[in-house]
Amino acid sequence: MKTTSNLFSLLLIPSIFLGFTSCRPETNETKNLLPNIVLFYVDDLGYGDLSCYGATLHNTPNIDRLAAEGIRFTNFYAPQAVCSASRAGMLTGCYPNRVGITGALNPFSKIGLNPEEETIAEVLKKKGYISGIFGKWHLGRPKAFLPLQQGFDEYVGVPYSNDMWKYKYDGSIKKQRPDKWGVEQYPELPVLEDNDVIMELTSVKDQKQLTTLYTERAVEFIEKNKDKPFFTYIPHSMPHVPLAVSQKFSGKSKQGIYGDVIMEIDWSVGQVVKALERNGLADNTLIIFTSDNGPWINFGEHAGSAGGLREGKQSSWEGGQRVPCVMKWPGHTPPGEVCNKIASAIDLLPTFAAATGAALPDKKIDGVNILPLIEGDTTANPRRVFYYYYGKNNLEGVRKGRWKLVFPHAYGSYEGMLPGKNGLKGPKVMRTSGLELYDLRRDPGERYNVIEQHPDIVDELQKIGEQARKDLGDNITGVEGENRREPGVVL
């Protein structure tokens, strides 16, 4: 790449003109031009939960540093506003309903991400990358769907969300459901290494070790693979409830345990960055930090902030799917850049492929290459349209540019409901939307329906919606879709 070539030219000047060899230690940059990639994909972090996005009661200096030295996105979208679907979309570069994953898979699910789909790890493996995941997987519990069967070389973490165990949020045992699941009760929360259970977590106290565990194993992976191109995927279990934080961060924020948890995640970012710097890898590593969906608002002070956006997790309003995202790639990302263009986690796979020269999957994907945005090209606009799908393949909205058309649908709403307290969930109420149009430039909180003022925009977005339905289907209108694929299934 041009920037790297200029770097090599500068390194050679002393030896050519002064007659000595540069004493700069050999680093990953000089041995391998392929960039390393580190991706943090945290759970239920809201748009307003980082200092660089407006948080005030806790500090995130390490993530803020990435933003200051790299690029911060203001219109970055999770593939869908719920755990498994979001992860399936991000890892395959597809809208999750294209690959047959919706909702959040439970420990007894017989389906998972189809191994015939190509993940980021499999795409990068073509270029000689080694890949490790340290954190939450949530794309199928059966062995056939676990990370080592999906292109990863190492895995340490939990196979699903940290509340999918035998305990309710008040600590009592969950009601047995042999009628529904064919089992007496949820199991304890397992921690896996590769394909095997290495321990079980039997209390919230046990979960205090998770953020540190993931961080330490990610650092080990980086250090032992420093001479190879690597993809390090760190999907932290936190701040998904139940919240747990190690002693080193307990009580450190002004926001209670939620702020403490975010500060520990920020520490994790700092530890990984230090490992990259310590091993001479920082200048040739693309780091991404983002979230799988918005905050679970009805958990009150145990939940994050949507930063003024409407609703939160489990909804296709902006608070459910618009998430923070910062990226840093020295020599590529202009320091302090703010990008207001639309982008999504489904765009990461084709972007990584473009950055490494890897071939794209043979099957159709939905992501686009956003490398021009990462490199600060303010004229680029690779993603012009975004589809908001939720539930069992419900098309609930489309966006083009500043305009978002919401289609009539039912949704669970947090608004007007008193949130829970002390780690307990508050209620939601079912509401319905009509056909509504929002100007997200002027009204990111989606409060003013301007549908009567812009019939031409409505017509244009209606046509985009029809294209989405023809391609991916829509349960709301009863359209099957022509290009959906099936998840993997075990009998």
Side-chain angles (χ1 to χ4, degrees), residues 105-107 136-138 141 158-162 164 187-190:
L105 303 178
N106 65 57
K136 170 183 168 180
W137 175 239
H138 213 174
R141 175 63 183 92
V158 298
Y160 35 75
S161 294
N162 63 321
M164 291 183 170
E188 304 288 5
L189 184 65

Side-chain angles (χ1 to χ4, degrees), residues 473-487:
D474 175 26
N475 280 3
I476 296 174
T477 56
V479 179
E480 183 66 26
E482 298 176 352
N483 297 299
R484 292 177 61 196
R485 305 193 286 267
E486 296 297 323

Side-chain angles (χ1 to χ4, degrees), residues 412-426:
S413 175
Y414 306 112
E415 292 188 346
M417 309 302 292
L418 190 66
K421 193 173 183 180
N422 298 325
L424 300 180
K425 183 190 295 189

Side-chain angles (χ1 to χ4, degrees), residues 239-258:
H240 194 293
V241 290
L243 297 179
V245 66
S246 70
Q247 188 61 40
K248 59 183 174 289
F249 283 94
S250 180
K252 297 298 183 182
S253 82
K254 297 179 181 179
Q255 195 181 331
I257 188 171
Y258 189 86

